[in-house]
Amino acid sequence: MQGYQRRNSTSVKVGDKFIGSSHPVLVQSMTNTATEDAAGTAKQIFELAEAGSEIVRITVNTREAAQAVPKIVSELEMLGANIPLVGDFHYNGHLLLNEYKDCAKLLAKYRINPGNVGRGDKHDDNFKSMIDVALKYDKPVRIGVNWGSLDQELLARMMDENAKSKQPRDAHEVLIEAIVASAIESAQAAESYGMHHDQIILSAKVSEVPDLIEVYRRLASRCDYALHLGLTEAGMSTKGIVASTAALSVLLLDGIGDTIRASLTPEPGASRTQEVLVCQQILQSIGLRSFTPQVTACPGCGRTTSSVFQELAKQIQEHLQRERPIWQKEFPGSEVMKVAVMGCIVNGPGESRHADIGISLPGTGEEPRAPVYIDGEHVTTLAGPTLTADFIAMVNDYVKKKYGQVACR
């Protein structure tokens, strides 16, 4: 992308994936099933992987959850899913990782929250115990700081130091600095216990967009660890999507970030996969990666009284999403394709010519015919009740002809 320069970060191997350095920014997600339910958790992991999640995190909070990890991995193998699993540990991770060796071996990465590993001497001992297990099984770790569970002893120390300063900063500024310090100091401690620099990923999550941007800009300026981005509680629906997009886009365009997650609260009964699709769309919209063909569609106005273009745009978008997994395998390169579905003569022909394939539907008072453009050239005009099916067939034919040739080379 013109003008874009990725921050130089270390490369970390997680399962069969590489994070950081010049590797693509990866999409991560997390299950919300009870991990003890091995079949249900494996099913959701498979759904997330099918949607395009490249790393999946699972909660490991009880002995039963730790015991379920081998069953989950076995279920995924039977489903044909090969995806790195990250164990999310709080409070008792040092016990579970040492007690359940199969769990420790099968997880691709451990996520450790330095604010939730214990207090006083226990903090260092418990943290070191988890790092020792990571070293034993050659696993990378994500040291994940959350402002809702920040190391209170560290924060108190920094607040005291600030109060004694000749020019004390406000409490919020100290909080932001404490989040950054917790991440970096914990990473340095892990290295002092024997962890390699390229086995550490950092995250420092908050729930406000400006704070997240500030925290990660400071982190990025002070270290070269790979960074995982995400608002810690983005929220539901439009709010969560917009907040995640606003925060992650700014940082990614700054060259900051090696994995991302949109921590959306699902609507009741809604699929968990929405957070995957949002991350993919963020990366694709700012030009960093391509996952699925994109539809350009006009918003509609007084000229577009017909709902035909809206219905066609929706059907085309759903068709492209359904075909994505198949096309990725059979027609590599099709993910960069652009399809235009326009509603009147004002911008319709122009936008359709700019797309790989586009259709310009008639607006109010226009002749009920829809010209179709392929690679900038007018190739035919569609009309009648089969217009939608005819255009979808043309899109399928375009994919096979253009990207099928690429696959055969």
Side-chain angles (χ1 to χ4, degrees), residues 34 44 73 105 122 137 164 166 196 258 295 304 317 342 349 377 391 402:
Q44 188 174 82
V73 171
K105 291 176 185 176
K122 288 185 178 180
Y137 297 115
K164 296 173 184 176
K166 293 181 180 179
H196 295 298
D258 301 293
V295 176
T304 56
Q317 184 70 66
M342 303 301 293
E377 300 294 330
F391 184 64
K402 181 168 184 176

PDB file of all heavy atoms in Angstrom, residues 34 44 73 105 122 137 164 166 196 258 295 304 317 342 349 377 391 402:
ATOM      1  N   ALA A  34     -18.271 -23.004  27.031  1.00  0.00           N
ATOM      2  CA  ALA A  34     -17.604 -23.578  28.200  1.00  0.00           C
ATOM      3  C   ALA A  34     -16.572 -24.569  27.680  1.00  0.00           C
ATOM      4  O   ALA A  34     -16.914 -25.541  26.997  1.00  0.00           O
ATOM      5  CB  ALA A  34     -18.617 -24.275  29.100  1.00  0.00           C
ATOM      6  N   GLN A  44     -17.331 -24.709  17.690  1.00  0.00           N
ATOM      7  CA  GLN A  44     -17.216 -23.264  17.510  1.00  0.00           C
ATOM      8  C   GLN A  44     -15.858 -22.874  16.947  1.00  0.00           C
ATOM      9  O   GLN A  44     -15.757 -21.980  16.099  1.00  0.00           O
ATOM     10  CB  GLN A  44     -17.471 -22.527  18.820  1.00  0.00           C
ATOM     11  CG  GLN A  44     -17.560 -21.014  18.625  1.00  0.00           C
ATOM     12  CD  GLN A  44     -17.964 -20.296  19.888  1.00  0.00           C
ATOM     13  OE1 GLN A  44     -17.113 -20.043  20.747  1.00  0.00           O
ATOM     14  NE2 GLN A  44     -19.233 -19.955  20.023  1.00  0.00           N
ATOM     15  N   VAL A  73      -8.668 -30.884  20.706  1.00  0.00           N
ATOM     16  CA  VAL A  73      -7.696 -31.049  19.609  1.00  0.00           C
ATOM     17  C   VAL A  73      -8.051 -32.275  18.776  1.00  0.00           C
ATOM     18  O   VAL A  73      -7.993 -32.244  17.538  1.00  0.00           O
ATOM     19  CB  VAL A  73      -6.267 -31.152  20.181  1.00  0.00           C
ATOM     20  CG1 VAL A  73      -5.284 -31.533  19.082  1.00  0.00           C
ATOM     21  CG2 VAL A  73      -5.863 -29.842  20.831  1.00  0.00           C
ATOM     22  N   LYS A 105       1.177 -29.185  26.405  1.00  0.00           N
ATOM     23  CA  LYS A 105       1.850 -29.591  25.174  1.00  0.00           C
ATOM     24  C   LYS A 105       1.051 -29.221  23.932  1.00  0.00           C
ATOM     25  O   LYS A 105       1.613 -28.848  22.899  1.00  0.00           O
ATOM     26  CB  LYS A 105       2.092 -31.106  25.177  1.00  0.00           C
ATOM     27  CG  LYS A 105       3.118 -31.596  26.178  1.00  0.00           C
ATOM     28  CD  LYS A 105       3.188 -33.121  26.136  1.00  0.00           C
ATOM     29  CE  LYS A 105       4.109 -33.688  27.199  1.00  0.00           C
ATOM     30  NZ  LYS A 105       4.089 -35.169  27.198  1.00  0.00           N
ATOM     31  N   LYS A 122       4.215 -14.228  45.491  1.00  0.00           N
ATOM     32  CA  LYS A 122       3.493 -15.201  44.662  1.00  0.00           C
ATOM     33  C   LYS A 122       3.400 -14.737  43.215  1.00  0.00           C
ATOM     34  O   LYS A 122       3.376 -15.553  42.294  1.00  0.00           O
ATOM     35  CB  LYS A 122       2.103 -15.448  45.231  1.00  0.00           C
ATOM     36  CG  LYS A 122       2.081 -16.253  46.517  1.00  0.00           C
ATOM     37  CD  LYS A 122       0.664 -16.565  46.945  1.00  0.00           C
ATOM     38  CE  LYS A 122       0.658 -17.420  48.209  1.00  0.00           C
ATOM     39  NZ  LYS A 122      -0.720 -17.737  48.644  1.00  0.00           N
ATOM     40  N   TYR A 137       8.145 -26.742  26.988  1.00  0.00           N
ATOM     41  CA  TYR A 137       7.471 -27.257  25.800  1.00  0.00           C
ATOM     42  C   TYR A 137       7.673 -26.372  24.567  1.00  0.00           C
ATOM     43  O   TYR A 137       7.012 -26.570  23.548  1.00  0.00           O
ATOM     44  CB  TYR A 137       5.975 -27.423  26.086  1.00  0.00           C
ATOM     45  CG  TYR A 137       5.698 -28.440  27.175  1.00  0.00           C
ATOM     46  CD1 TYR A 137       5.133 -28.051  28.385  1.00  0.00           C
ATOM     47  CD2 TYR A 137       6.048 -29.779  27.007  1.00  0.00           C
ATOM     48  CE1 TYR A 137       4.895 -28.975  29.389  1.00  0.00           C
ATOM     49  CE2 TYR A 137       5.814 -30.707  28.009  1.00  0.00           C
ATOM     50  CZ  TYR A 137       5.233 -30.301  29.202  1.00  0.00           C
ATOM     51  OH  TYR A 137       5.001 -31.218  30.199  1.00  0.00           O
ATOM     52  N   LYS A 164       5.082  12.072  44.546  1.00  0.00           N
ATOM     53  CA  LYS A 164       6.299  12.678  45.084  1.00  0.00           C
ATOM     54  C   LYS A 164       7.030  13.536  44.048  1.00  0.00           C
ATOM     55  O   LYS A 164       8.006  14.229  44.383  1.00  0.00           O
ATOM     56  CB  LYS A 164       7.237  11.579  45.584  1.00  0.00           C
ATOM     57  CG  LYS A 164       6.665  10.789  46.755  1.00  0.00           C
ATOM     58  CD  LYS A 164       7.563   9.605  47.102  1.00  0.00           C
ATOM     59  CE  LYS A 164       6.954   8.759  48.209  1.00  0.00           C
ATOM     60  NZ  LYS A 164       7.774   7.543  48.495  1.00  0.00           N
ATOM     61  N   LYS A 166       7.951  16.506  41.418  1.00  0.00           N
ATOM     62  CA  LYS A 166       7.786  17.960  41.439  1.00  0.00           C
ATOM     63  C   LYS A 166       6.698  18.415  40.486  1.00  0.00           C
ATOM     64  O   LYS A 166       6.076  19.465  40.698  1.00  0.00           O
ATOM     65  CB  LYS A 166       9.120  18.626  41.078  1.00  0.00           C
ATOM     66  CG  LYS A 166      10.211  18.422  42.126  1.00  0.00           C
ATOM     67  CD  LYS A 166      11.494  19.119  41.708  1.00  0.00           C
ATOM     68  CE  LYS A 166      12.589  18.921  42.755  1.00  0.00           C
ATOM     69  NZ  LYS A 166      13.864  19.586  42.359  1.00  0.00           N
ATOM     70  N   HIS A 196      13.015 -16.601  25.135  1.00  0.00           N
ATOM     71  CA  HIS A 196      13.650 -15.899  24.023  1.00  0.00           C
ATOM     72  C   HIS A 196      12.819 -14.690  23.617  1.00  0.00           C
ATOM     73  O   HIS A 196      11.585 -14.687  23.727  1.00  0.00           O
ATOM     74  CB  HIS A 196      13.819 -16.834  22.827  1.00  0.00           C
ATOM     75  CG  HIS A 196      14.766 -17.972  23.083  1.00  0.00           C
ATOM     76  ND1 HIS A 196      16.104 -17.774  23.372  1.00  0.00           N
ATOM     77  CD2 HIS A 196      14.565 -19.314  23.106  1.00  0.00           C
ATOM     78  CE1 HIS A 196      16.688 -18.947  23.552  1.00  0.00           C
ATOM     79  NE2 HIS A 196      15.775 -19.899  23.409  1.00  0.00           N
ATOM     80  N   ASP A 258       0.349  -6.781  14.822  1.00  0.00           N
ATOM     81  CA  ASP A 258       0.728  -8.006  14.126  1.00  0.00           C
ATOM     82  C   ASP A 258      -0.374  -9.060  14.140  1.00  0.00           C
ATOM     83  O   ASP A 258      -0.433  -9.914  13.272  1.00  0.00           O
ATOM     84  CB  ASP A 258       2.007  -8.575  14.749  1.00  0.00           C
ATOM     85  CG  ASP A 258       3.152  -7.570  14.677  1.00  0.00           C
ATOM     86  OD1 ASP A 258       3.595  -7.281  13.560  1.00  0.00           O
ATOM     87  OD2 ASP A 258       3.568  -7.055  15.729  1.00  0.00           O
ATOM     88  N   VAL A 295     -18.015  -5.795  -2.720  1.00  0.00           N
ATOM     89  CA  VAL A 295     -19.137  -5.237  -3.479  1.00  0.00           C
ATOM     90  C   VAL A 295     -19.203  -3.737  -3.243  1.00  0.00           C
ATOM     91  O   VAL A 295     -19.281  -3.277  -2.094  1.00  0.00           O
ATOM     92  CB  VAL A 295     -20.472  -5.888  -3.069  1.00  0.00           C
ATOM     93  CG1 VAL A 295     -21.632  -5.220  -3.796  1.00  0.00           C
ATOM     94  CG2 VAL A 295     -20.454  -7.375  -3.376  1.00  0.00           C
ATOM     95  N   THR A 304     -33.333   6.420  -6.963  1.00  0.00           N
ATOM     96  CA  THR A 304     -33.330   4.963  -6.914  1.00  0.00           C
ATOM     97  C   THR A 304     -34.527   4.463  -6.101  1.00  0.00           C
ATOM     98  O   THR A 304     -34.366   3.845  -5.049  1.00  0.00           O
ATOM     99  CB  THR A 304     -32.029   4.438  -6.290  1.00  0.00           C
ATOM    100  OG1 THR A 304     -31.878   5.026  -4.994  1.00  0.00           O
ATOM    101  CG2 THR A 304     -30.832   4.792  -7.141  1.00  0.00           C
ATOM    102  N   GLN A 317     -23.552  -9.991  -2.300  1.00  0.00           N
ATOM    103  CA  GLN A 317     -22.662 -10.038  -1.142  1.00  0.00           C
ATOM    104  C   GLN A 317     -22.743 -11.398  -0.460  1.00  0.00           C
ATOM    105  O   GLN A 317     -21.718 -11.997  -0.106  1.00  0.00           O
ATOM    106  CB  GLN A 317     -23.058  -8.940  -0.145  1.00  0.00           C
ATOM    107  CG  GLN A 317     -22.129  -8.830   1.054  1.00  0.00           C
ATOM    108  CD  GLN A 317     -20.763  -8.272   0.673  1.00  0.00           C
ATOM    109  OE1 GLN A 317     -20.651  -7.119   0.266  1.00  0.00           O
ATOM    110  NE2 GLN A 317     -19.734  -9.087   0.792  1.00  0.00           N
ATOM    111  N   MET A 342     -24.900  -0.874  -8.887  1.00  0.00           N
ATOM    112  CA  MET A 342     -25.279   0.532  -8.794  1.00  0.00           C
ATOM    113  C   MET A 342     -26.752   0.733  -9.150  1.00  0.00           C
ATOM    114  O   MET A 342     -27.349  -0.098  -9.830  1.00  0.00           O
ATOM    115  CB  MET A 342     -24.386   1.375  -9.700  1.00  0.00           C
ATOM    116  CG  MET A 342     -22.901   1.223  -9.401  1.00  0.00           C
ATOM    117  SD  MET A 342     -22.454   1.664  -7.708  1.00  0.00           S
ATOM    118  CE  MET A 342     -22.786   3.427  -7.740  1.00  0.00           C
ATOM    119  N   PRO A 349     -22.755   3.748 -14.395  1.00  0.00           N
ATOM    120  CA  PRO A 349     -21.838   3.281 -15.437  1.00  0.00           C
ATOM    121  C   PRO A 349     -20.369   3.511 -15.072  1.00  0.00           C
ATOM    122  O   PRO A 349     -19.523   2.642 -15.311  1.00  0.00           O
ATOM    123  CB  PRO A 349     -22.242   4.108 -16.663  1.00  0.00           C
ATOM    124  CG  PRO A 349     -23.681   4.440 -16.410  1.00  0.00           C
ATOM    125  CD  PRO A 349     -23.773   4.662 -14.932  1.00  0.00           C
ATOM    126  N   GLU A 377     -15.323  -2.598 -19.921  1.00  0.00           N
ATOM    127  CA  GLU A 377     -16.008  -2.601 -21.210  1.00  0.00           C
ATOM    128  C   GLU A 377     -17.464  -3.050 -21.059  1.00  0.00           C
ATOM    129  O   GLU A 377     -17.760  -3.990 -20.310  1.00  0.00           O
ATOM    130  CB  GLU A 377     -15.294  -3.535 -22.193  1.00  0.00           C
ATOM    131  CG  GLU A 377     -13.848  -3.173 -22.471  1.00  0.00           C
ATOM    132  CD  GLU A 377     -13.717  -1.843 -23.213  1.00  0.00           C
ATOM    133  OE1 GLU A 377     -14.651  -1.515 -23.986  1.00  0.00           O
ATOM    134  OE2 GLU A 377     -12.708  -1.147 -23.011  1.00  0.00           O
ATOM    135  N   PHE A 391     -26.976 -12.143 -13.650  1.00  0.00           N
ATOM    136  CA  PHE A 391     -25.762 -11.424 -13.250  1.00  0.00           C
ATOM    137  C   PHE A 391     -24.886 -12.290 -12.353  1.00  0.00           C
ATOM    138  O   PHE A 391     -23.657 -12.308 -12.508  1.00  0.00           O
ATOM    139  CB  PHE A 391     -26.122 -10.113 -12.540  1.00  0.00           C
ATOM    140  CG  PHE A 391     -24.918  -9.282 -12.193  1.00  0.00           C
ATOM    141  CD1 PHE A 391     -24.102  -8.754 -13.192  1.00  0.00           C
ATOM    142  CD2 PHE A 391     -24.569  -9.046 -10.872  1.00  0.00           C
ATOM    143  CE1 PHE A 391     -22.970  -8.002 -12.884  1.00  0.00           C
ATOM    144  CE2 PHE A 391     -23.443  -8.293 -10.545  1.00  0.00           C
ATOM    145  CZ  PHE A 391     -22.645  -7.771 -11.563  1.00  0.00           C
ATOM    146  N   LYS A 402     -11.117 -15.779 -15.284  1.00  0.00           N
ATOM    147  CA  LYS A 402      -9.970 -14.940 -14.942  1.00  0.00           C
ATOM    148  C   LYS A 402      -9.028 -15.611 -13.956  1.00  0.00           C
ATOM    149  O   LYS A 402      -7.812 -15.634 -14.140  1.00  0.00           O
ATOM    150  CB  LYS A 402     -10.443 -13.605 -14.367  1.00  0.00           C
ATOM    151  CG  LYS A 402      -9.281 -12.667 -14.007  1.00  0.00           C
ATOM    152  CD  LYS A 402      -9.749 -11.263 -13.718  1.00  0.00           C
ATOM    153  CE  LYS A 402      -8.556 -10.353 -13.455  1.00  0.00           C
ATOM    154  NZ  LYS A 402      -8.958  -8.934 -13.255  1.00  0.00           N
TER     155      LYS A 402
END
